[in-house]
Amino acid sequence: DIQMTQSPSSLSASVGDRVTITCRASQNIINHLNWYQQIPGKPPKLLIDTAATLQSGVPSRFSGSRSGTDFTLTISSLQPEDVAIYYCQQSYGTPPSFGGGTKVDIK
Amino acid sequence: EGQLLESGGGLVQPGGSLRLSCVASGFTFNTYVMNWVRQAPGKGPEWVSGISASGNSEYYVDSVKGRFTISRDPSKNTLYLQMNSLRVEDTAVYYCAKGDSGGWYTFDIWGQGTTVTVSS
């Protein structure tokens, strides 16, 4: 099975800060990597698929990138409504697997 | 945009059974892969099972193989998860999730979830 290692597990940043979350796959998954945002008590919401494709309606301050088996989610200017847990997920193999999550809050 | 509505969760004793349902609306149900994803309290999501658009192919995470069965009824736009021999570790919120047009495992629409608690 493919393991997804996400870091950091939590972070606290100020409004307007640039925030970066990293996810590493245990093997080559090409660009089959998705990012989700989950607000407590709600289901996850797909933000980015295939490593860098922003979903319709998602603010442009969110972006994704890939370098080999390392993937990055960037929030260019953190906003109060971005407080949530963010998960990466590989869609390359069965079973699909999620990273451990990154809890983002406002300093 | 599509919607998914789960039902069927509840409290059950270890060894018991439950059947979850998920009614889809707002998209052509029988043209998309559908999945069940669960989330234990305080944990990240875990994919449980997926079924092809035609219903001819099914996949499961190892921990539920032989105990859970996924199925779909296109006439009712409904996805099911039959859960037998339930264990304490199956306790979670169970979400149904639609596969996007690109493949099986990009989950672009999620339901609100139904809670399954396995406890004596």
Side-chain angles (χ1 to χ4, degrees):
Chain A
D1 294 359
I2 300 171
Q3 309 303 318
M4 306 303 295
T5 303
Q6 194 174 334
S7 62
S9 58
S10 66
L11 67 88
S12 185
S14 300
V15 172
D17 281 355
R18 184 181 184 87
V19 167
T20 299
I21 299 168
T22 299
C23 187
R24 173 169 289 173
S26 61
Q27 66 183 69
N28 183 17
I29 58 170
I30 315 176
N31 66 340
H32 296 275
L33 189 285
N34 307 315
W35 290 99
Y36 298 85
Q37 176 194 61
Q38 187 174 31
I39 294 168
K42 299 288 189 181
K45 173 188 174 183
L46 180 65
L47 294 179
I48 289 170
D49 70 37
T50 54
T53 302
L54 206 64
Q55 295 301 290
S56 175
V58 174
S60 59
R61 63 181 179 273
F62 290 91
S63 63
S65 64
R66 172 202 174 197
S67 176
T69 58
D70 291 339
F71 299 84
T72 300
L73 172 69
T74 299
I75 308 173
S76 61
S77 176
L78 186 67
Q79 300 301 304
E81 59 267 33
D82 300 335
V83 169
I85 302 174
Y86 294 84
Y87 295 98
C88 62
Q89 176 243 330
Q90 65 81 13
S91 56
Y92 181 75
T94 303
S97 47
F98 291 82
T102 297
K103 184 176 182 181
V104 174
D105 63 28
I106 302 292
K107 191 182 296 182
Chain B
E1 179 167 319
Q3 289 190 325
L4 299 168
L5 182 62
E6 305 94 336
S7 62
L11 174 63
V12 62
Q13 291 187 338
S17 297
L18 280 175
R19 187 173 87 153
L20 307 184
S21 299
C22 169
V23 178
S25 60
F27 64 95
T28 307
F29 177 72
N30 61 0
T31 63
Y32 291 98
V33 168
M34 295 296 296
N35 296 269
W36 288 98
V37 179
R38 68 184 177 185
Q39 190 166 27
K43 302 294 186 181
E46 178 190 33
W47 174 83
V48 174
S49 180
I51 187 168
S52 63
S54 65
N56 290 339
S57 298
E58 306 163 21
Y59 297 96
Y60 301 90
V61 68
D62 283 349
S63 60
V64 309
K65 282 180 183 174
R67 300 189 298 123
F68 289 11
T69 303
I70 192 172
S71 62
R72 61 194 299 163
D73 184 343
S75 69
K76 296 181 179 179
N77 281 359
T78 301
L79 175 73
Y80 300 101
L81 186 67
Q82 177 67 44
M83 304 187 297
N84 298 330
S85 302
L86 281 160
R87 304 169 180 169
V88 171
E89 55 265 33
D90 295 318
T91 294
V93 176
Y94 284 72
Y95 298 101
C96 63
K98 171 184 165 289
D100 80 348
S101 56
W104 276 67
Y105 298 137
T106 295
F107 311 125
D108 62 350
I109 299 174
W110 297 64
Q112 289 302 305
T114 187
T115 300
V116 172
T117 303
V118 185
S119 175
S120 55

